[in-house]
């Protein structure tokens, strides 16, 4: 399952966002360092295609795709030198697939801390870059020595040198000019900033009309690095309150505020998008289910998402796009009228494909 880790200053709203997404469990409080140990939780990926197919098939079970969120303590200026909680707790998010920067913009005299999201951004990025710099510095000389015996280590040292150059200027790797090759080589090092970043600008409940305006300076700060970074303004508090309501009341509350489905689905969708994740579906009377794959994956690899045997013994896939299937009304009907495509091992699965695999082991 894909994992996303929250970072931000104390009181930025990380635990509130976590609760909204993962259904509660974290302490959200108006004092700094409310969170000490990481909270780990799962959120379902909302998907209307899945809901429609489940209804069509009268499925007994509906299984959405899911993602994991990790909420950790707040960073402060000087964390790398031990200020606040220090930065050791960042280890809790080393192995996530992407980071979510939570930046506060909401004013509230009862909640201490700065309210300028750019100030948050500057401090958080400096501390993340310093933490990564520490990791790189602690290992680079040993790797450099290793090149004398083993020349195949040279590309790794080149990548480390490039990373060190960016990090020592306080630039996180996701917004540096590091090449894709270098990023790939550095992946096993689990650096905090060698991952895509989603940025949540947490605005106040009376600032909903100015959401884009408040996020604009942050968007501007990331100009030119957009492939690895996405910025979303939202009022975390309202979303968290709405998330606690039964579905009907939630819809009503969000509609009254003019928030549509709310921002949580957008956070999840944007987070998956950053990682190039796609969804294929299976549907039947027993269950309808959404499965996650990486863009560009071929049919056997997708079969393997369901079960290793499906991939090893892959013969073919029967395939139809979800909306076409929905229009026809059932899998059998689609088969009857010859609308099920037979795809082989070179088929690149598309987002929204409904699949059935034939295999033999
Ligand atoms: N007014 C207002 N308060 C908010 C908003 N989002 C969060 N808060 C409040 O701010 C306080 C801090 O929120 P948390 O979610 O605990 O912040 P955190 O980032 O987890 O903080 P640490 O765990 O200390 O790093 C809580 O009292 C929240 O209720 C918001 O959008 N508006
Ligand atoms: Mg917290």
């Amino acid at each position: 399952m894909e994992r996303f880790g929250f970072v931000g200053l104390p009181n930025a709203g990380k635990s509130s966002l976590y609760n909204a997404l993962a259904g509660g469990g974290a302490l959200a409080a108006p004092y700094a360092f409310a969170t000490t140990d990481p909270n780990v939780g799962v959120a379902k990926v909302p998907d209307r295609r899945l809901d429609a197919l489940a209804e069509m098939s009268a499925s007994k079970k509906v299984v959405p795709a899911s993602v994991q969120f990790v909420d950790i303590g707040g960073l402060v200026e000087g964390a790398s030198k031990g200020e606040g909680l220090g930065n050791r707790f960042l280890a809790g998010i080393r192995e996530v697939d992407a980071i979510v920067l939570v930046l506060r913009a909401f004013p509230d005299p009862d909640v201490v801390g700065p309210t300028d999201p750019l100030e948050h951004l500057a401090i958080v990025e400096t501390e993340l870059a310093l933490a990564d710099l520490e990791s790189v510095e602690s290992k680079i000389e040993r790797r450099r020595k290793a090149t004398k015996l083993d020349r195949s280590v040279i590309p790794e040292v080149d990548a480390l040198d490039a990373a060190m150059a960016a990090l020592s200027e306080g630039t996180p790797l996701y917004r540096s000019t590091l090449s894709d090759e270098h990023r790939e080589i550095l992946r096993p090092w689990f650096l905090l900033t060698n991952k895509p970043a989603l940025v949540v600008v947490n605005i106040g409940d009376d600032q909903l009309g100015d959401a884009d305006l408040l996020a604009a300076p942050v968007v501007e700060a990331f100009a030119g690095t957009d492939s690895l970074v996405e910025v979303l303004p939202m009022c975390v508090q309202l979303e968290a309150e709405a998330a606690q309501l039964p579905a009907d009341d939630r819809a009503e509350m969000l509609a009254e505020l003019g928030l549509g489905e709310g921002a949580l689905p957008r956070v999840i969708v944007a987070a998956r998008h950053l990682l190039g994740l796609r969804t294929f579906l299976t549907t039947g009377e027993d269950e309808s289910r959404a499965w996650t794959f990486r863009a560009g994956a071929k049919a056997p690899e997708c079969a393997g998402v369901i079960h290793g045997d499906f991939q090893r013994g892959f013969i073919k896939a029967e395939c139809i796009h979800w909306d076409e299937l929905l229009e026809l009304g059932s899998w059998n009907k689609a088969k009857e009228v010859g609308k099920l495509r037979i795809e082989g091992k070179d088929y690149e699965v598309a987002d929204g494909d409904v699949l059935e695999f034939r295999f033999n082991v």
Side-chain angles (χ1 to χ4, degrees), residues 16-17 19-24 236-247 250 253-254 264:
S16 304
L17 178 59
N19 284 340
L21 287 163
V236 170
Q237 185 102 318
L238 284 178
E239 299 287 343
E241 280 165 24
Q244 288 183 337
L245 300 173
R250 175 166 65 241
M253 172 178 166
L254 293 171
L264 298 180

Side-chain angles (χ1 to χ4, degrees), residues 4 61 68 112 134 161 186 212 253 329 348 350 356:
F4 300 88
K61 223 166 89 186
Q68 207 174 56
V112 293
E134 231 172 71
D161 275 327
L186 293 174
D212 291 334
M253 172 178 166
E348 243 185 52
E356 220 168 80

Side-chain angles (χ1 to χ4, degrees), residues 8-19 27-36 71-75 85 102 104 106-108 110-111 202-205 234-238:
L9 301 193
N11 282 340
K14 300 179 294 298
S15 296
S16 304
L17 178 59
Y18 170 89
N19 284 340
L27 170 69
Y31 49 84
F33 311 123
T35 305
T36 48
D71 169 41
I72 55 169
L75 272 177
L85 298 174
V102 182
R104 172 178 173 181
F106 70 87
D108 185 336
D110 294 330
V111 181
N202 185 8
I203 62 172
D205 51 5
M234 62 185 278
C235 177
V236 170
Q237 185 102 318
L238 284 178

